[in-house]
């Protein structure tokens, strides 16, 4: 690892020591942040797995119900029933705090579920289909919100890991090597100065004795 290209002076040694201290503190903080983010990411991934299980189960109920309804009354009547049902949804951005960090996620406000049994020629089977698909829509919107957070967390973990690696593999070793180099140069200078002072003192003593 190449050292920093600075002069080996006492002032630069103090500066490098300060940089090394800051870098090591920064490394510790980033490592803690990375660990927190990874734990939160794993927790959110588990939530995604549970949601996927619930979505698969709901799909297993919703589509057979729709198939049975189509077979019972035909596609034209199902289409007329569908046109008679109207729901309005609200989409908005919402702040989410995960692991002490703020993220923006998607919030889907679903309308209150209504049943349309015996309305405009509908019947209980149509309400069953709507109930199952309404449940599926609820799960899918929750999944969309969580996946958005998971992607943001994963990106932050990756970015934090790059910073940790940069400090660990480059900044800290380079700064430490520079500090050691300056200290060795200054120590060598001190030894040379001591030797020169001793030589001068010895010469002076000889001159005074003559």
């Amino acid at each position: 690892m190449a050292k920093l290209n600075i002069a080996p002076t006492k002032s630069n040694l103090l500066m490098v020591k300060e940089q090394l201290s800051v870098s090591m503190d920064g490394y510790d903080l980033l490592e803690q942040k990375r660990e927190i983010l990874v734990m939160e990411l794993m927790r959110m991934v588990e939530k995604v797995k549970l949601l996927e299980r619930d979505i698969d189960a709901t799909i297993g109920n919703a589509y057979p119900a729709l198939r049975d309804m189509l077979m019972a009354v035909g596609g034209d009547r199902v289409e007329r029933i569908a046109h008679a049902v109207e729901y309005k949804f609200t989409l908005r951005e919402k702040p989410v705090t995960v692991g002490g960090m703020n993220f923006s996620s998607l919030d889907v406000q679903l309308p209150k579920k209504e049943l349309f049994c015996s309305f405009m020629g509908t019947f209980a089977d149509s309400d069953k289909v709507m109930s199952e698909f309404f449940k599926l829509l609820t799960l899918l919107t929750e999944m969309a919100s969580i996946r958005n957070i998971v992607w943001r967390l994963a990106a932050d973990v990756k970015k934090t890991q790059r910073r940790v690696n940069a400090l660990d593999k480059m900044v800290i070793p380079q700064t430490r090597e520079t500090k050691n180099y300056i200290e060795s140069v200054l120590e060598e200078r001190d030894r040379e100065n001591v030797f020169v002072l001793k030589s001068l003192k010895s010469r002076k003593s000889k001159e005074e004795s003559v």
Side-chain angles (χ1 to χ4, degrees):
M1 178 64 65
K3 63 182 183 300
L4 297 172
N5 186 24
I6 59 175
T9 63
K10 290 183 178 180
S11 60
N12 283 340
L13 177 60
L14 293 174
M15 179 189 70
V16 169
K17 284 183 176 180
E18 179 66 21
Q19 289 179 350
L20 182 59
S21 177
V22 170
S23 297
M24 295 179 70
D25 289 343
Y27 172 83
D28 291 338
L29 290 174
L30 284 174
E31 183 64 20
Q32 292 174 19
K33 175 184 176 181
R34 186 191 66 82
E35 291 176 357
I36 292 172
L37 288 175
V38 169
M39 287 190 294
E40 290 294 336
L41 179 60
M42 296 306 296
R43 185 176 66 83
M44 298 300 288
V45 168
E46 286 300 316
K47 290 185 67 174
V48 168
K49 290 180 180 178
L50 292 175
L51 272 173
E52 287 176 342
R53 184 193 63 187
D54 292 342
I55 288 172
D56 289 341
T58 305
I59 288 175
N61 294 328
Y63 281 94
L66 177 60
R67 180 195 60 208
D68 293 344
M69 182 179 175
L70 287 168
M71 292 177 64
V73 302
D76 291 341
R77 189 174 181 187
V78 170
E79 186 174 355
R80 288 197 301 272
I81 293 172
H83 284 305
V85 178
E86 182 179 356
Y87 280 120
K88 293 183 179 180
F89 305 91
T90 303
L91 295 174
R92 67 181 179 86
E93 184 180 6
K94 70 173 181 179
V96 178
T97 301
V98 179
M101 302 185 64
N102 296 322
F103 296 93
S104 294
S105 185
L106 178 67
D107 181 37
V108 182
Q109 294 182 341
L110 298 174
K112 183 179 179 181
K113 182 174 67 174
E114 298 180 40
L115 299 181
F116 294 83
C117 183
S118 300
F119 178 70
M120 291 188 66
T122 66
F123 50 96
D125 284 350
S126 67
D127 286 339
K128 179 181 178 182
V129 172
M130 284 190 290
S131 178
E132 292 294 340
F133 275 92
F134 198 94
K135 179 180 177 182
L136 178 59
L137 180 60
T138 302
L139 292 172
L140 290 174
T141 55
E142 186 178 355
M143 174 68 82
S145 177
I146 292 178
R147 279 188 178 275
N148 183 52
I149 297 173
V150 168
W151 291 332
R152 294 285 304 277
L153 275 173
D156 242 56
V157 168
K158 187 176 181 180
K159 181 171 66 176
T160 304
Q161 185 63 59
R162 284 199 302 266
R163 292 176 177 175
V164 168
N165 290 339
L167 286 170
D168 185 43
K169 305 298 183 183
M170 185 174 67
V171 176
I172 291 177
Q174 187 179 51
T175 307
R176 183 178 287 120
E177 184 171 340
T178 303
K179 180 183 82 72
N180 294 338
Y181 166 73
I182 294 176
E183 286 177 341
S184 65
V185 170
L186 293 178
E187 288 173 0
E188 181 64 26
R189 287 177 182 173
D190 287 340
R191 286 193 293 270
E192 289 176 357
N193 290 336
V194 170
F195 177 77
V196 170
L197 288 174
K198 286 183 177 180
S199 297
L200 290 175
K201 186 176 180 181
S202 176
R203 180 182 298 177
K204 185 177 180 181
S205 299
K206 289 180 180 179
E207 290 175 351
E208 289 177 350
S209 62
V210 170

